Amino acid sequence: MNRQVKQVLGLSAFAAGCMALGMGLSHGWQAQAQEEKPVMVETKGMDRLPPIADVAEKLNPTVVAITNTSFVKNQRFEHPQIGGEDFFDFFFGPGGPQQRRTPRGGNDEQRAVSGGSGVIISPQGEILTNYHVIASMGASDNALEVKTSDGRSFKATVLGKDKELDIALIKIDAAHLPFAKLGESDSLRIGEWVVAIGNPFGLEHTVTQGIISAKGRKLDTGVSSFLQTDAAINRGNSGGPLLNLKGEVVGINTAINPAGQNIGFAVPISQVNRILKDLRSGKPVSRGYLGVGPTDLDQAYQDALGVKEGVVVSTVEKGQAADKAGVQRLDVITAVDGHPVRSQDELVSVISSRRAGETIKLSVWRDGKTLTLTATLGDRKALEAQRRGDSGEDSEDESGQKPQGEAKSLNLDKLYGFTVEPMDVKHRLKGVVVTSVDPRSPAAERGMAPGMVITEVGRQPVNSLAEFNAQVKKAGGRTLLLFIQSPNGSQKVTLAIPPR
């Protein structure tokens, strides 16, 4: 009897174990299946359309049409971000309804009429628009006229302007005007709904809708980091507001890509907010300057420097804020005041949003260690003066002599795709000169070209071909970090050249 009981108990325990194992495996399979589900979005609220009609109805009265009339003599205006051609031709169209030029008197003088949009930001008649909309094409006889949504016209005066950001603040003599609230653009998400209002082709108070297509777009080398939107922006929208669904201004529409479809750009309102005090005072905009040449931390730099995020310091300008703070070439700036920076555009945007004289904390990665450096920002206006001071050309060696007893060049072409030779004896720069670059090599992809002068490998100066060879051998076939200058020393950059 006892034996039968034991057998029954044993079989029961075995069955229970199998059930537990089966449940465990089932639970594991279920968990695995859950982890492999496709990415989905909550559908809550998707049965309602965004309140674009409400935004249009309430914000339309805050948008104005701006007309700029002046008399010019064959003068052309270059937009700070695009330049080259007359920006009014680019944005408003040659001979279009927003721009008319007629002869007036002799000496090829013309009457120029241009237009754009603006948004009222105070009940006392302060209006934000683009610098290029109000840029004086003539002199003292320039006339600026603003037309409100109720059909009234006012003469406007310029309170402040910033050509670099392409923003201006103007004012009309009026009170109790409907005005828009300035929001903030830093927290905008890609794909968020936005509304544009303006006067394209003279069609006043045109409303278009779309989304934020991208953030941090660069049109050129200016300090602006633009919002990209597919809300239809056309010639004449320039200076008008880009609004979120709360009706807050998140950008000032400023440019289009004429070769594309619905590719428009707006100055983020967060950047405008930072200079609004300067614009209201009429003083020149104060913009901080660090004095480094930033480079994105791509895979080659990551492998060479041993860090995954940040911005590489390619050059450091002598006497500027970074130099005084102890920043060195090939440092990696990972954060400013504790906020991470992941691209050179992000770093430029952060620094230029600060005022000259402000103190910032830089988190820097150097030789496997994180350092905190304190920098007092200089004035960005000193940039051009500094560059002009650095661009003086010294005479090169006219004899064409090479140093006596110089070492033979290593066979770099096979490993890296370029060749070098010693500098002329009397040349101001010390180092080696690049003589050829294989167009299919990593060196060519990185921008190396014949005539460039290599003055440092890593942080080590190389005054001769022998010293250059020694540093290349130390690299052991890994990525070369080369400090390169133009023959006259005016252009400087650090290049990371990986092996083939």
Side-chain angles (χ1 to χ4, degrees):
M1 186 73 175
N2 290 338
R3 183 177 180 184
Q4 290 179 338
V5 170
K6 288 181 180 179
Q7 287 178 341
V8 170
L9 291 175
L11 290 171
S12 298
F14 177 74
C18 290
M19 289 177 66
L21 178 61
M23 290 175 67
L25 290 173
S26 174
H27 178 73
W29 291 333
Q30 183 179 6
Q32 185 177 11
Q34 288 176 347
E35 290 173 1
E36 294 180 352
K37 285 184 178 180
V39 177
M40 302 291 286
V41 176
E42 286 288 336
T43 58
K44 184 179 179 180
M46 285 191 177
D47 56 330
R48 299 190 304 270
L49 293 173
I52 292 170
D54 294 338
V55 175
E57 180 181 351
K58 293 183 178 181
L59 273 298
N60 238 323
T62 69
V63 179
V64 300
I66 300 174
T67 303
N68 186 357
T69 303
S70 60
F71 302 96
V72 298
K73 294 181 180 180
N74 295 328
Q75 189 172 348
R76 297 175 69 82
F77 172 76
E78 289 192 3
H79 184 270
Q81 306 299 335
I82 296 177
E85 62 182 291
D86 187 326
F87 191 74
F88 288 105
D89 286 344
F90 169 81
F91 206 89
F92 300 120
Q98 294 285 318
Q99 177 173 322
R100 301 181 301 278
R101 293 180 178 179
T102 56
R104 177 186 183 275
N107 299 323
D108 296 324
E109 188 176 54
Q110 294 179 320
R111 183 177 187 270
V113 181
S114 304
S117 306
V119 57
I120 304 171
I121 62 168
S122 77
Q124 292 78 33
E126 290 181 325
I127 298 169
L128 275 177
T129 186
N130 285 140
Y131 169 84
H132 73 259
V133 170
I134 62 90
S136 180
M137 298 175 63
S140 60
D141 55 354
N142 175 262
L144 205 59
E145 184 178 358
V146 168
K147 184 179 179 182
T148 57
S149 63
D150 57 8
R152 291 184 293 168
S153 294
F154 299 86
K155 296 295 182 184
T157 57
V158 178
L159 294 181
K161 53 190 178 182
D162 182 17
K163 182 177 180 179
E164 196 162 11
L165 198 59
D166 195 21
I167 288 294
L169 181 68
I170 65 176
K171 190 178 186 307
I172 58 177
D173 187 11
H176 310 297
L177 294 172
F179 65 99
K181 179 183 178 182
L182 300 185
E184 64 88 24
S185 53
D186 290 341
S187 63
L188 281 174
R189 300 168 63 196
I190 308 273
E192 190 169 333
W193 284 98
V194 286
V195 178
I197 306 178
N199 307 293
F201 301 107
L203 302 172
E204 295 181 359
H205 297 276
T206 295
V207 178
T208 57
Q209 58 83 22
I211 62 170
I212 296 293
S213 303
K215 297 171 63 176
R217 293 298 197 204
K218 300 290 287 185
L219 296 189
D220 204 341
T221 56
V223 300
S224 300
S225 183
F226 287 87
L227 301 174
Q228 181 183 329
T229 179
D230 68 346
I233 296 174
N234 292 286
R235 297 176 176 91
N237 276 105
S238 192
L242 191 68
L243 305 156
N244 62 18
L245 295 187
K246 296 179 182 178
E248 298 170 334
V249 181
V250 295
I252 299 296
N253 300 321
T254 192
I256 58 174
N257 185 333
Q261 291 287 333
N262 288 350
I263 301 178
F265 303 95
V267 178
I269 204 65
S270 295
Q271 293 193 28
V272 179
N273 280 327
R274 294 178 186 124
I275 67 168
L276 197 53
K277 183 178 179 180
D278 288 335
L279 294 176
R280 283 180 168 140
S281 70
K283 297 178 181 178
V285 173
S286 174
R287 187 168 281 119
Y289 182 56
L290 187 58
V292 298
T295 298
D296 286 336
L297 185 70
D298 61 14
Q299 191 62 53
Y301 277 118
Q302 291 177 23
D303 295 342
L305 299 174
V307 60
K308 297 298 183 183
E309 285 191 350
V311 180
V312 181
V313 176
S314 176
T315 59
V316 180
E317 295 189 44
K318 291 183 179 179
Q320 295 295 334
D323 183 36
K324 294 176 181 178
V327 177
Q328 298 180 11
R329 194 176 60 81
L330 293 179
D331 282 349
V332 177
I333 299 175
T334 58
V336 177
D337 287 336
H339 299 289
V341 289
R342 300 179 178 85
S343 69
Q344 57 178 314
D345 289 346
E346 204 172 310
L347 178 63
V348 170
S349 179
V350 169
I351 296 301
S352 62
S353 70
R354 308 298 180 88
R355 299 173 66 87
E358 281 191 33
T359 298
I360 61 171
K361 297 287 186 182
L362 298 173
S363 299
V364 171
W365 174 275
R366 181 189 299 165
D367 297 331
K369 298 178 181 178
T370 299
L371 309 175
T372 300
L373 304 178
T374 302
T376 301
L377 296 178
D379 196 325
R380 188 176 173 84
K381 292 179 182 177
L383 173 62
E384 291 304 322
Q386 177 73 17
R387 286 178 175 173
R388 285 194 296 269
D390 288 345
S391 63
E393 295 187 15
D394 289 353
S395 60
E396 299 185 14
D397 177 29
E398 297 178 358
S399 66
Q401 280 186 304
K402 301 292 187 293
Q404 296 296 318
E406 182 63 271
K408 291 183 178 180
S409 175
L410 295 174
N411 185 11
L412 298 172
D413 183 54
K414 183 177 181 180
L415 185 57
Y416 294 104
F418 69 95
T419 59
V420 299
E421 66 178 30
M423 291 294 296
D424 292 342
V425 176
K426 296 181 180 180
H427 200 285
R428 179 173 65 89
L429 294 178
K430 302 299 181 184
V432 295
V433 61
V434 178
T435 54
S436 68
V437 180
D438 184 342
R440 297 177 181 269
S441 68
E445 292 176 2
R446 297 281 161 164
M448 181 178 282
M452 291 180 170
V453 179
I454 301 171
T455 58
E456 295 181 37
V457 178
R459 289 193 178 95
Q460 184 64 42
V462 288
N463 296 319
S464 65
L465 184 56
E467 292 180 4
F468 173 78
N469 290 345
Q471 293 302 317
V472 171
K473 288 178 180 178
K474 283 185 179 180
R478 298 186 297 272
T479 298
L480 292 179
L481 299 175
L482 305 178
F483 187 49
I484 293 178
Q485 303 186 45
S486 58
N488 63 9
S490 62
Q491 303 293 324
K492 304 173 184 178
V493 69
T494 298
L495 297 181
I497 309 296
R500 289 178 183 265

